[in-house]
């Protein structure tokens, strides 16, 4: 048995015009499927429909598409016109997504869960949702991948008045402007004229938004913190491997005794959690094990997939971790 249930609810709502019905939803990871390991199932007045795709958002889309000819729409966040997943969330198999606002890049405060109730928010067809996402991407700043231009605060204007003929720098919030700041943590700068007045803002083309700037959740542990830094270019993969090798990790027990291995397009892997808070809500008692002890029981070709379903999930060959001193 390689199917791992990631979530289930029996109180979801589906609507068809003025008609409402309670339905069941399940979403899972099936390690035996290489290209399409994520599944979603909906059971209601229509019977049972399900889909398996490369990520949970795509699987939910396909289930919704199957329900559309009969007029049914699921009242969940994943069917709202203002909700979408980033590539990072899709790659990690996450059940989270962003609520989108016109002209604004989403942040951590905009996170919602795909399968939670949509409340009073509208739900739409798959094509209507895709059209809404395309419109959002076409709005100024939102689809550019660039953070909004920093604002000149009274404090910054005061600095400029006392430093005519210089540059006024905007620094990523993860760094202390009075401390040591790497060049890639500088968002940009305003040139200050001889009268102490800032000119037009100039972006740093080499700026890398930090985990804090991107709105990533506060890390639960040192390994996840290193993963976030590596994913955003503020740290290296070597730090992740070194910390992982010395860490205690957590496994979700499978239906059979022993360690359950999964297979996807990249090969075999074992899901590994760096902290119990990354476990699905439906997970049974976790198994805590030193990472080195886990490695001793794994074949050489099996990779470790860290925190699957989280916003930052990475895959590390077990041989790399074994080689860490």
């Amino acid at each position: 048995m390689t199917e791992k249930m990631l979530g289930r609810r029996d109180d979801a709502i589906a609507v068809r015009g003025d008609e409402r019905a309670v339905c069941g939803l399940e979403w899972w990871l099936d390690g035996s499927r290489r290209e399409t390991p994520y599944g979603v199932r909906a059971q209601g007045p229509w019977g049972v429909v399900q889909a398996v795709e490369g990520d949970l958002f795509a699987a939910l889309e396909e289930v919704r598409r199957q329900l559309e000819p009969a007029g049914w729409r699921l009242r969940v966040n994943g069917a709202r016109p203002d909700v979408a997943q980033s590539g990072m969330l899709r790659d990690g198999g996450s059940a989270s997504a962003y609520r989108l606002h016109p002209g604004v890049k989403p942040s951590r405060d905009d996170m919602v869960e795909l399968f939670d109730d949509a409340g009073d928010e509208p739900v739409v067809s798959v094509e209507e949702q895709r059209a809404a996402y395309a419109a959002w991407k076409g709005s100024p700043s939102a689809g550019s991948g660039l953070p909004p231009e920093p604002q000149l605060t009274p404090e910054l204007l005061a600095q400029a008045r006392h430093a005519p003929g210089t540059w006024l720098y905007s620094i990523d919030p993860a760094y202390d402007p009075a401390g040591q700041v790497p060049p890639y943590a500088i968002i940009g700068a305003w040139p200050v004229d001889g009268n102490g007045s800032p000119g037009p803002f100039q972006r740093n083309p080499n700026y890398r938004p930090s985990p804090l700037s991107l709105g990533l959740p506060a890390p639960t542990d040192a390994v996840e913190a290193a993963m976030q830094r590596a994913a955003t270019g503020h740290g290296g993969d070597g730090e992740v491997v070194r910390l992982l090798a010395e860490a205690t990790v957590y496994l979700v027990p499978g239906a059979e005794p022993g360690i359950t291995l999964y297979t996807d397009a990249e090969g075999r892997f074992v899901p590994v959690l760096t902290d119990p808070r990354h476990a699905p809500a439906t997970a049974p008692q976790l198994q805590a094990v030193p990472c080195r002890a886990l490695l001793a029981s794994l074949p050489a070709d099996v990779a470790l997939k860290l925190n699957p379903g989280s916003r930052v999930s990475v895959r590390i060959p077990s041989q790399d971790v074994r080689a860490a001193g």
Side-chain angles (χ1 to χ4, degrees):
M1 178 70 173
T2 56
E3 185 177 295
K4 182 176 74 172
M5 192 63 62
L6 299 176
R8 175 191 291 113
R9 54 177 306 197
D10 299 318
D11 59 350
I13 299 296
V15 294
R16 181 170 64 178
D18 295 331
E19 187 178 356
R20 294 169 61 92
V22 177
C23 63
L25 290 176
E26 295 179 338
W27 52 103
W28 68 88
L29 169 67
D30 185 347
S32 67
R33 304 181 67 93
R34 296 176 65 88
E35 299 292 341
T36 54
Y38 291 96
V40 173
R41 181 182 298 117
Q43 183 171 359
W46 52 82
V48 178
V49 298
Q50 71 176 46
V52 287
E53 296 289 344
D55 58 75
L56 286 173
F57 191 78
L60 177 59
E61 273 191 333
E62 180 55 31
V63 165
R64 291 165 54 210
R65 197 187 300 278
Q66 292 180 47
L67 294 176
E68 286 177 6
W72 288 106
R73 292 183 179 176
L74 299 174
R75 288 203 59 79
V76 295
N77 284 328
R80 288 166 48 177
D82 60 345
V83 168
Q85 274 195 330
S86 65
M88 182 181 290
L89 290 176
R90 285 192 174 225
D91 291 345
S94 178
S96 299
Y98 286 110
R99 182 180 180 183
L100 307 177
H101 304 276
V104 179
K105 185 177 181 182
S107 69
R108 175 173 52 192
D109 295 335
D110 299 310
M111 296 293 290
V112 297
E113 295 302 305
L114 290 176
F115 301 99
D116 282 359
D117 289 328
D120 295 330
E121 298 293 334
V123 292
V124 297
S125 69
V126 172
E127 291 308 315
E128 288 171 328
Q129 184 183 50
R130 291 184 173 184
Y133 177 66
W136 173 83
K137 284 194 71 175
S139 62
S141 296
S144 67
L146 297 174
E149 185 172 305
Q151 298 298 306
L152 278 166
T153 63
E155 293 78 12
L156 288 172
L157 290 171
Q159 291 179 35
R161 286 194 296 271
H162 290 89
T166 61
W167 289 83
L168 189 62
Y169 291 96
S170 176
I171 305 301
D172 187 280
Y175 293 84
D176 180 2
Q180 202 163 24
V181 179
Y184 53 77
I186 299 173
I187 302 172
W190 296 269
V192 181
D193 66 19
N195 297 317
S197 296
F201 183 73
Q202 298 184 25
R203 293 186 181 274
N204 173 13
N206 298 315
Y207 168 57
R208 307 172 193 167
S210 69
L212 178 62
S213 179
L214 291 171
L216 295 181
T220 57
D221 55 273
V223 177
E224 188 187 24
M227 289 166 57
Q228 290 186 359
R229 289 193 293 271
T232 56
H234 289 257
D237 295 342
E239 181 188 21
V240 178
V241 172
R242 177 178 57 80
L243 291 171
L244 177 62
E246 302 303 327
T248 294
V249 296
Y250 302 86
L251 306 177
V252 178
E256 303 295 333
I259 298 172
T260 303
L261 301 183
Y262 296 84
T263 303
D264 62 11
E266 298 180 53
R268 296 197 295 174
F269 69 93
V270 58
V272 171
L273 309 178
T274 61
D275 186 275
R277 284 169 284 185
H278 292 289
T282 56
Q285 182 69 37
L286 300 178
Q287 177 185 353
V289 58
C291 187
R292 290 199 182 277
L294 171 63
L295 292 170
S297 65
L298 294 178
D301 67 315
V302 175
L304 306 183
K305 189 169 185 177
L306 305 186
N307 299 339
S310 298
R311 288 186 65 185
V312 177
S313 176
V314 300
R315 187 190 193 105
I316 300 178
S318 58
Q319 290 180 319
D320 291 359
V321 188
R322 289 188 182 94

